[in-house]
């Protein structure tokens, strides 16, 4: 299924006629247009609740938006999740290079945009939850399902907030309606984790295990259980994470794809390895620039992710894998060929054209170009705006879960942990030397961490892995060369991004900056 970007808006407009009637005391006329969609006549039918729920999904799409209307955005989510990887670089002097070196401030656009979209998604989920409590036509089964789905989405967005701000940003359990009290204070990490886990638990109990093909891509009970394990692990609670990973691994519907390249194939979206992915549409709309729900055209699906603006050679190839990353991988590793280009590869751009790369150094000062989701896996159609990729972003896949499951077993069952690491390693790199049995805890941990780096490269997990392992500072310090060094200590407080300054200013002191930032 391609999630529909339904834009459900509460319209409150006052015409000159309405103001005149109020002025003269006439109040016996119904001035509401009969065909208007407003809160009072929406949220009644199952179809209404489906549309409102899908609107929250569309905020996930919006994280990957590129727009100049209403909110300025140019792949802002990637700046925080991809450009901050230790295997990525960019052109010296660019704003992306500054993110790579952690030279950003609380008023930087990526932080402001991401904050707005995260809490937009939370707001939309909360609106569904509140309307479920009012009179409507839903059956008890439908009401439970939409509660589970809305709580899954609320938990998903709060989890992204937790990853960026460590549970210190607001925790929104209801929409704010008092115009004199619209600012939300800082939360605590403990309260944030507790609500995320509670929401995912409800989702795991209320959501279906599977959807039919017409609803493919919506959250399932198995996805909720997978996230329960992941959230516990991010909270450094391996003991609580383990049973969720074990259940999904042993009883869930997921399997590794036969080979690594097929995981990211445009023609194999929502495949057997996909636990949750952002749903993009295709090249069917006559307006290729409708990438998000900020444009004036309502009820349009997000078409795709503008990878081309920062990855295409004609766009400057701003996201550049480093030689250090390349040297961490064997050249024979299939993942190397899927994740980065090499000389002689066929290059497909956003125009639907292709050419043979003869000298990558012409386009990248590191000598490497980012290839994941592209190359042979790209949707080979000329996008209307010439840069959009329609290939879904795989947000959470089974290989990630298998490796996290292995991580929870290193101390208690190192042989099974080794088996799980090798299951992923040998699928993705059939000619690899397996990780040996009998390694020390330290060596097995190192093997696990390397495997996660190679398997999940440029998917937005690496930075957060380094933070939760407590080795981000030393990892980035090791990359410093004495020239243009990173500023990890002064800009991230070991893993926490600044809360956007404009949000703090608007709150008039209710919301405060994280200590040390």
């Amino acid at each position: 299924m391609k999630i529909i970007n339904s834009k459900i808006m509460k319209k409150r407009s006052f015409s000159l006629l309405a103001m005149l009637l109020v002025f003269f005391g006439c109040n016996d006329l119904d001035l509401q247009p009969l065909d208007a969609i407003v809160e009072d006549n929406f949220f009644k039918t199952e179809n209404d609740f489906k549309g409102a729920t899908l609107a929250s999904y569309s905020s996930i799409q919006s994280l990957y938006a590129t727009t100049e209307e209403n909110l300025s955005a140019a792949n802002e989510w990637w700046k925080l999740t991809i450009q901050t990887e230790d295997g990525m670089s960019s052109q010296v002097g660019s704003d992306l290079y500054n993110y790579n070196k952690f030279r950003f401030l609380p008023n930087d656009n990526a932080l402001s945009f991401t904050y707005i979209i995260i809490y937009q998604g939370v707001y939309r989920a909360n609106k569904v939850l509140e309307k479920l409590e009012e009179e409507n036509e839903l059956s008890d089964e439908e009401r439970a399902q939409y509660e589970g789905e809305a709580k899954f989405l609320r938990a998903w967005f709060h989890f992204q907030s937790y990853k960026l701000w460590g549970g210190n940003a607001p925790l929104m359990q209801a929409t704010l309606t008092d115009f004199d009290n619209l600012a939300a204070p800082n939360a605590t990490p403990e309260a944030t984790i507790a609500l995320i886990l509670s929401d995912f638990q409800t989702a795991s109990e209320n959501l279906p295990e599977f959807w039919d093909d017409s609803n493919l891509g919506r959250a399932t009970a198995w996805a909720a259980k997978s996230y329960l394990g992941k959230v516990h692990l991010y909270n450094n609670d391996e003991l609580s994470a383990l049973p969720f990973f074990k259940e999904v691994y042993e009883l869930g519907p997921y399997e590794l794809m036969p080979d690594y390249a097929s995981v990211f194939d445009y023609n194999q979206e929502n495949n057997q390895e996909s636990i949750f992915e952002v749903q993009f549409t295709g090249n069917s709309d006559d307006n290729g620039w409708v990438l998000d729900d900020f444009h004036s055209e309502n009820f349009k699906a997000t078409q795709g992710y503008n990878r081309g603006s920062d990855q295409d050679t004609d766009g400057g190839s701003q996201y550049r894998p480093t030689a250090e990353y390349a040297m961490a991988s064997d050249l024979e590793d299939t993942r190397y060929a899927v994740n980065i280009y090499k000389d002689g590869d066929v290059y497909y751009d956003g125009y639907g054209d292709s050419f043979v790369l003869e000298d990558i150094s012409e386009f990248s000062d590191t000598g490497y170009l980012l290839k994941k989701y592209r190359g042979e896996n790209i949707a080979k159609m000329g996008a209307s705006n010439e840069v959009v990729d329609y290939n879904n972003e795989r947000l959470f896949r089974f290989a990630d879960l298998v490796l996290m499951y292995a991580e929870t077993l290193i101390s208690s069952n190192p042989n099974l942990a080794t088996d799980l690491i090798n299951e992923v390693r040998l699928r993705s790199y059939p000619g690899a030397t397996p990780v040996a049995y009998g390694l020390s805890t330290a060596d097995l941990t190192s093997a696990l961490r390397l495997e996660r780096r190679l398997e999940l490269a440029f998917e937005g997990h690496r930075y957060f892995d380094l933070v939760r392992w407590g080795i981000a500072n030393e990892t980035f310090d090791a990359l410093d060369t004495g020239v243009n060094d990173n500023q990890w200590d002064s800009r991230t407080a070991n893993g926490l991004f600044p809360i956007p300054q404009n949000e703090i200013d608007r709150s008039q002191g209710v919301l405060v900056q994280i200590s040390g930032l």
Side-chain angles (χ1 to χ4, degrees), residues 310-459:
D310 287 323
Q311 286 183 241
D312 278 351
T313 54
D314 57 312
S317 303
Q318 289 297 305
Y319 288 88
R320 302 170 181 179
T322 64
E324 189 273 338
Y325 163 75
M327 289 186 292
S329 176
D330 292 340
L331 292 179
E332 295 78 17
D333 190 337
T334 308
R335 294 171 293 200
Y336 184 96
V338 172
N339 292 334
I340 59 178
Y341 283 105
K342 62 181 183 299
D343 287 341
D345 281 353
V346 176
Y347 184 94
Y348 295 89
D349 65 12
Y351 296 81
D353 299 326
S354 62
F355 61 92
V356 176
L357 283 167
E358 296 181 355
D359 185 1
I360 292 176
S361 64
E362 293 181 15
F363 309 106
S364 169
D365 58 3
T366 69
Y368 301 94
L369 287 173
L370 186 58
K371 186 180 180 183
K372 180 162 275 187
Y373 288 105
R374 311 203 92 205
E376 291 296 333
N377 288 328
I378 199 172
K380 299 174 183 65
M381 59 182 77
S384 299
N385 65 3
E386 301 179 331
V387 291
V388 178
D389 277 3
Y390 303 119
N391 199 347
N392 289 353
E393 192 86 2
R394 282 57 161 173
L395 299 175
F396 192 1
R397 55 191 182 89
F398 190 52
D400 183 5
L401 184 139
V402 173
L403 291 174
M404 287 191 292
Y405 182 26
E407 188 175 340
T408 66
L409 292 166
I410 286 176
S411 297
S412 62
N413 193 341
N415 285 346
L416 179 54
T418 302
D419 286 338
L420 293 169
I421 296 170
N422 283 327
E423 182 178 345
V424 173
R425 177 172 175 78
L426 297 178
R427 181 287 301 267
S428 298
Y429 180 13
T433 301
V435 174
Y437 293 103
L439 295 179
S440 66
T441 297
D443 287 344
L444 188 54
T445 297
S446 295
L448 179 281
R449 291 176 177 179
L450 175 61
E451 208 58 39
R452 282 190 64 82
R453 183 183 192 188
L454 299 176
E455 178 70 23
L456 303 170
F458 317 127
E459 295 181 47

Side-chain angles (χ1 to χ4, degrees), residues 83-89 97 100-102 322-325 327-328 453 462 466 471-486 488:
Q83 193 55 250
T84 49
E85 287 196 20
D86 53 328
M88 188 67 77
S89 186
Y97 185 80
N100 184 249
K101 295 298 182 181
F102 305 106
T322 64
E324 189 273 338
Y325 163 75
M327 289 186 292
R453 183 183 192 188
R462 173 65 175 173
L466 293 174
I471 61 171
N473 204 355
E474 63 191 72
T475 300
F476 288 105
D477 281 349
L479 298 176
D480 284 348
T481 61
V483 179
N484 294 318
D485 287 348
N486 73 63
W488 172 270

